[in-house]
Amino acid sequence: VDGPTLAWLGGPAQYQWVTLVNSGSHTDVAEIRAVADRVADGMRASGREVLNINIHNPGVHPAQPTIDTVLLLMGALGVLALFLSAFLVVNTITALMGQQVRQIGIMKAVGATTSQIAALYLAVVLAFGLIALALAMPLSALMAYGLTRMLVTNMNATPGPFTIPPASLALQLIIGLAVPLLGALVPVLNGAGLTVRQAISSYGLSTPAKPGLLDRLLESLRGLPRPLLLSLRNTVRRKGRLALTLSTLVLGGATFIAVFSVRSSMYAEFDQAYGYAQADVNVDLAGSIPMARLEAAVDGVPGVVAMEGWATRDLNIVKPDGENSDRVVVLAPPASSRLVDPVITDGRWLESGDKNAIVVGNHFLALRPDVGVGDTLTLRVDKQNTAFTVVGVFRMAGDPPLPLTYVSYDALSALEGTAGQVNSLRLVTDRHDAERQNEVLAVLQARFRELDLPATLSTGSAAIDVQRSQSDLLVTLLMLMALLIAVVGGLGLMGTMGLNVLERTREIGVMRAIGAENRAIMELVVVEGLLIGLVSCALSVVAAIPITLILNAGLGSTLLKVPLVFRMSVPGMAIWLAVVLMLAGLASALPARNAVRLTVRDVLAYE
């Protein structure tokens, strides 16, 4: 705004800030600090008072924390998706090698070597990798450009032209070709290393390995239906494959649940932050106004049931050197305030009768980590230095422009000589929904215009919406990645169940030949898949705890400047349970349906 508008709003008539651009380095803090100190010394020599020198992350874009958070999320979840994809490759190639065991035996019988067979199948994997790259490269470029436009537009900037960094293409080539080859290497070598006798004599009725502890435990179970017992034993029949499948599902499920838990943690953090602004309507005045005049202005406004008058100031806390200072926002609520519910991490909150007591927050401690409860801070009020004792430390999420501190209204008004005057009004409405708050806001705006009281009014619900909107983009990204991971985990389970049914094709034929119905056979396979899904879900809940803690620490520190409070999402667990059971049902029903559609003669003749 221009000078007259600022004066009408109650601002100063003269300049208060000097901004400097260094002629040398724009990122060297030491050099910039030396230049700023020389300018400050010159100002002091000319009789001007220098209150604060602020060098805020030179060379770093203001939106860098948001970008870092997004990249942290996409990087972490991208690595998880990469591991899941590697497991999927292992499952798929294992299924392929299991299906073609006899063909491998025939090739070896006519002279093929192990290296030739391995090269043959690795070439197939490489071909699939090239096809995947042909699809992934243009799709990823378009999606990356779309995401970039969304992020940049969200920061109120103009997106740049469409470009594809060469490093991105190189990384895609390495991942798209190396990961499938590495994932397929072990199953290909195992399959190619079979002897001719082992390969030709494989009929899907392989001799089971020596029973282990888990097998003996399952054999000791009594009282369960025989189909369920059979499904239980089939589930652990191939322990290595089961471990691989569970790894895929557990990693996918843990990430899925962790995503919902991070969202719950974010919302819990916002709810705590709301404890510092519980008013339904906030009125910030241009200057100090007698409380009696404000009460008369608000009197008769429908819906207002309570109000408090606060004093708020931008003041300076002098640094130990006695010259420079840290600029802070000082909030002074009345002693009986019920509109602030702080999260105290050390010491206590303000009490009735406190004189020169101050409560500082985590953002101030980031500037002055040497300060603690019991220390003395020098608060400069109207060019006078007054000692305040730190009685408590509070915790608040977010990144305010200036650190927040709290003192009692009586202490601040006594220093300024403004007893009975306030510059901030906090109102409580009879209903706390957004619609009611906006109704009261509209009436108050008209009332303050009539009385020629310049003021800025806002609602509590709007403040909450602004806070939560910061996380909406991140939550959307998290949900998309969780959905992708769930799909990959389901594909891994489908490959495992398909391989299990394929190996037991002749066994299914034997069961059908002695009278087993198609429905009973399908139930055996489906129950096996559901058991795998249930076990993976239970393990996913446990594995989600460390993932949630890691994401909470990273997201909280970069976006909200505090580690997020830990919250496990019960809805996330329930949704994953439903998703994994649905995936398990589909993944096992489709292979079972294909098996029971074969005739008994075809199944028994299967090789």
Side-chain angles (χ1 to χ4, degrees), residues 201-212 215-216 219 230 233-239 503-504 507:
S201 62
S202 175
Y203 289 96
L205 289 167
S206 56
T207 303
K210 183 179 180 180
D215 298 291
R216 293 194 296 271
E219 289 175 0
L230 186 57
R233 293 168 184 172
N234 283 336
T235 301
V236 299
R237 184 176 184 178
R238 295 282 189 174
K239 296 180 179 61
E503 286 184 341
R504 296 201 292 271
E507 297 178 31

Side-chain angles (χ1 to χ4, degrees), residues 106-192:
I106 293 172
M107 286 190 288
K108 282 205 162 187
V110 297
T113 64
T114 299
S115 58
Q116 287 175 327
I117 294 175
L120 173 67
Y121 283 99
L122 289 177
V124 173
V125 174
L126 186 62
F128 276 114
L130 290 172
I131 294 172
L133 278 174
L135 296 172
M137 281 185 163
L139 286 176
S140 62
L142 291 175
M143 292 176 67
Y145 183 61
L147 178 60
T148 302
R149 288 185 61 87
M150 182 174 65
L151 286 172
V152 174
T153 304
N154 190 56
M155 293 183 294
N156 197 28
T158 303
F162 176 76
T163 58
I164 302 177
S168 173
L169 295 177
L171 185 61
Q172 278 187 289
L173 283 170
I174 293 172
I175 292 176
L177 298 179
V179 171
L181 288 174
L182 290 175
L185 190 60
V186 172
V188 166
L189 291 179
N190 288 339

Side-chain angles (χ1 to χ4, degrees), residues 422-465:
V422 299
N423 67 340
S424 181
L425 205 58
R426 311 293 172 94
L427 306 174
V428 180
T429 58
D430 51 0
R431 298 197 319 269
H432 306 300
D433 56 275
E435 182 180 358
R436 186 57 166 173
Q437 291 177 4
N438 288 323
E439 291 174 358
V440 174
L441 177 72
V443 175
L444 287 172
Q445 285 176 330
R447 182 73 61 88
F448 277 85
R449 279 196 298 268
E450 291 175 3
L451 298 174
D452 194 25
L453 288 174
T456 302
L457 291 85
S458 61
T459 63
S461 60
I464 296 175
D465 291 340

Side-chain angles (χ1 to χ4, degrees), residues 49-52 314-319 322-325 327 378-386 388:
E49 183 180 18
V50 178
L51 299 176
N52 184 44
D314 288 356
L315 300 175
N316 292 277
I317 295 179
V318 181
K319 291 184 176 180
E323 293 185 352
N324 298 311
S325 59
R327 193 78 169 171
T378 301
L379 195 64
R380 185 169 293 167
V381 182
D382 291 337
K383 297 185 179 181
Q384 294 184 355
N385 293 340
T386 304
F388 276 74

Side-chain angles (χ1 to χ4, degrees), residues 249-262:
L249 284 174
V250 168
L251 188 57
T255 307
F256 189 90
I257 295 172
V259 164
F260 278 84
S261 298
V262 168

